[in-house]
Amino acid sequence: MEIIELSETWVDQAVELWERTGLTRPWNDPQADARKALASTDSTILGLVHGQRLIATAMAGDDGHRGWLYYVAVDPGSQGQGCGQRIVEAAAQWLRTRGTVKVQLMVRTGNDAVTQFYEKLGYERQEVSVLGKRLVP
């Protein structure tokens, strides 16, 4: 297995993985999210691949102040084998090489297993509230 920066040819497989792992929401277009990330020099999507099969993903982006992780997913059949740790560490390294000094991510409330996964990797809960407002209907 190797970690690569995904190209446009991997988008369909990535979106299918995100859907299978429950990351997508009806109000977000994951295809558009993926293409936007791949079109920018400030973001990427990393993939852990085995042959032509996508095992894990992590979208990383630098907003100019800190780095963010999105769409971190591991194929359900490969969970518990270190794939999540590998892809998260690779995404953090991608950000680090760009001079990013802090990485953040959001975990949906109640997703305790995922929160515990990140805490085992050294991520800490931040004393902030995330507020949002949709700019398009």
Side-chain angles (χ1 to χ4, degrees), residues 16-17 20-21 53-56 73-79:
E16 193 276 327
L17 175 62
R20 252 184 313 121
T21 55
R53 185 168 166 251
L54 187 59
I55 305 296
V74 176
D75 181 83
S78 299
Q79 291 176 2

Side-chain angles (χ1 to χ4, degrees), residues 10 21 29 39 45 52 65 82 94 108 118 128:
W10 289 93
T21 55
D29 179 348
I45 305 171
Q52 292 299 307
H65 184 70
W94 186 90
R108 290 189 181 98
Y118 285 112
V128 299

Side-chain angles (χ1 to χ4, degrees), residues 55-99:
I55 305 296
T57 62
M59 181 187 291
D62 183 344
D63 70 10
H65 184 70
R66 64 183 58 86
W68 287 88
L69 299 184
Y70 303 94
Y71 290 108
V72 176
V74 176
D75 181 83
S78 299
Q79 291 176 2
Q81 300 173 24
C83 298
Q85 180 175 351
R86 282 186 65 191
I87 200 72
V88 168
E89 288 174 354
Q93 181 59 30
W94 186 90
L95 290 164
R96 191 178 294 113
T97 63
R98 283 149 182 80

Side-chain angles (χ1 to χ4, degrees), residues 97-119:
T97 63
R98 283 149 182 80
T100 307
V101 297
K102 182 179 183 183
V103 62
Q104 296 190 161
L105 53 93
M106 294 178 280
V107 177
R108 290 189 181 98
T109 302
N111 198 342
D112 297 333
V114 170
T115 299
Q116 291 168 7
F117 163 76
Y118 285 112
E119 288 174 340

